[in-house]
Amino acid sequence: INIAHFIANGPTSSKPSRSISKNTQKRYFTVLQRVYAFCVQQSWLEVSPVDDVAEQDRPDIENHEGHVLTHDQWIACTSRINELTRNDYEFRDRAILMLLFKHGLRPEEVRALSLQDFQTDITNQHILAIHAIRGPEQGRFLPLDAITAESVQSWMAVRSNLQVVKRTCQLLE
């Protein structure tokens, strides 16, 4: 009864004018399940009180599928990304996927990148300047590993030879 009451009423929203969201309720319930399962595993409790919560009082089960890759899935994805070098678009896709997978950039951050954002610092380390999109705290300089830096450089080289880029450069000159 206490757990069901807490999930329904206990957590407070960070936004005073709103009630607690269903997602937050699911997450609190998941945390309680894990905490009490640990207590049972340690023999601190005989049974988890979370297991006694009636089905109608439980939030929907949180679907974690697709949120986290297993180690084998990660290896399969990153090794396939490294093979993307057959044509101009695969060079571009490889650079983008490396930034998304290895450095955790958001799609909107990748879309906002320009050629000038790929830089080298004083120690010749390749860095990427990420501009603040949603707020000033989000701007940062991101050091790139060698493989990602090489994939971005490869895309920049391929890009400079694309006809559309050459035409644009000629028009600007």
Side-chain angles (χ1 to χ4, degrees):
I1 293 172
N2 289 339
I3 291 173
H5 181 72
F6 174 74
I7 294 300
N9 306 307
T12 57
S13 175
S14 60
K15 297 176 179 130
S17 61
R18 294 186 190 170
S19 61
I20 193 84
S21 74
K22 294 292 181 192
N23 282 338
T24 301
Q25 288 179 341
K26 289 177 196 178
R27 290 182 181 133
Y28 271 91
F29 192 76
T30 302
V31 167
L32 288 173
Q33 282 178 314
R34 291 177 181 168
V35 167
Y36 281 111
F38 177 77
C39 292
V40 169
Q41 184 183 19
Q42 299 298 314
S43 300
W44 297 338
L45 296 171
E46 288 184 33
V47 294
S48 168
V50 177
D51 295 339
D52 293 335
V53 175
E55 287 297 319
Q56 69 268 14
D57 293 332
R58 293 175 180 231
D60 294 334
I61 295 171
E62 191 169 12
N63 180 5
H64 296 285
E65 192 173 304
H67 291 241
V68 177
L69 299 175
T70 66
H71 177 71
D72 292 339
Q73 290 170 325
W74 178 266
I75 297 300
C77 288
T78 53
S79 63
R80 175 64 183 116
I81 290 170
N82 289 330
E83 297 169 9
L84 295 176
T85 56
R86 290 182 303 205
N87 61 49
D88 296 347
Y89 299 106
E90 284 193 1
F91 277 98
R92 177 202 61 199
D93 294 347
R94 178 176 179 233
I96 291 170
L97 288 169
M98 294 296 279
L99 294 171
L100 293 170
F101 263 74
K102 288 209 151 187
H103 295 282
L105 265 64
R106 296 187 317 263
E108 62 189 1
E109 291 173 323
V110 172
R111 285 191 302 270
L113 290 174
S114 65
L115 294 175
Q116 295 78 14
D117 296 333
F118 184 72
Q119 306 166 5
T120 6
D121 68 8
I122 196 167
T123 64
N124 269 351
Q125 164 80 37
H126 291 288
I127 59 172
L128 196 61
I130 307 297
H131 301 284
I133 294 172
R134 295 184 184 169
E137 315 77 52
Q138 294 182 345
R140 63 201 182 279
F141 290 95
L142 184 69
L144 298 178
D145 64 281
I147 296 170
T148 304
E150 182 272 324
S151 68
V152 171
Q153 286 175 312
S154 297
W155 163 240
M156 288 170 59
V158 167
R159 183 187 179 283
S160 67
N161 289 318
L162 293 176
Q163 287 302 316
V164 68
V165 173
K166 287 182 177 180
R167 277 194 307 269
T168 304
C169 287
Q170 288 171 352
L171 287 172
L172 290 173
E173 289 173 3

